[in-house]
Amino acid sequence: METLPPKRAAVLAFLRDRVEGQGMAPSLAEIAAEFGFASRNAAQKHVQALVAEGLIELAPGQKRG
């Protein structure tokens, strides 16, 4: 696996921290707010890239999946 870009690595760390600390993943809106993204779409692109890298899995049909 290649090294992740710094922002994507930070998003991954944020996701892991939230799941470990609160038992559920943050919403796309929460990710966008945390990183100052202009929209949830930017957060979704980072999440989808992490899925494509095999670093996270999405639970189909579930919010915060």
Side-chain angles (χ1 to χ4, degrees):
M1 176 178 62
E2 293 181 24
T3 303
L4 292 174
K7 184 68 75 172
R8 192 151 299 144
V11 170
L12 178 60
F14 179 67
L15 291 171
R16 287 180 173 165
D17 288 346
R18 288 290 296 269
V19 170
E20 288 175 10
Q22 296 183 4
M24 66 179 169
S27 67
L28 292 174
E30 291 169 333
I31 296 168
E34 177 72 18
F35 292 96
F37 298 148
S39 69
R40 291 181 295 205
N41 190 43
Q44 184 175 18
K45 286 183 180 184
H46 282 284
V47 169
Q48 292 297 333
L50 292 169
V51 169
E53 290 276 340
L55 298 171
I56 62 172
E57 293 181 12
L58 295 180
Q62 293 183 1
K63 291 184 178 183
R64 300 176 187 249

